[in-house]
Amino acid sequence: MQISARNTIKATVKKIIPGVVSTEVTLEIAPGVEVTSLITKSSGEKLHLTVGKQAYIVIKATDVMVAVD
């Protein structure tokens, strides 16, 4: 895989919830550390996502904010 985004994290697909238009995908980075993403239904189908499959979380953003209480 070659991609220009700097922020990629290897993960495992933990849960997939398909919808009519979009698919919710939960990926596990480490035990108890998860990221959930909404992708289009067609993208989910093209990626052949299955629970347990290795995937990458790709974060492409011009701004990343940090906040504290």
Side-chain angles (χ1 to χ4, degrees):
M1 174 182 81
Q2 293 182 345
I3 190 163
S4 64
R6 293 183 193 156
N7 302 305
T8 59
I9 304 166
K10 195 168 188 177
T12 303
V13 177
K14 186 170 182 180
K15 182 169 50 170
I16 303 167
I17 303 173
V20 176
V21 176
S22 61
T23 298
E24 183 177 308
V25 183
T26 301
L27 298 117
E28 187 174 53
I29 300 167
V33 181
E34 299 174 353
V35 172
T36 300
S37 178
L38 278 177
I39 61 174
T40 63
K41 181 179 179 178
S42 63
S43 290
E45 292 167 353
K46 288 177 189 174
L47 292 170
H48 303 289
L49 295 175
T50 56
V51 173
K53 183 175 185 172
Q54 294 291 300
Y56 291 89
I57 299 165
V58 180
I59 302 166
K60 180 74 173 174
T62 56
D63 298 304
V64 176
M65 294 184 266
V66 176
V68 297
D69 286 326

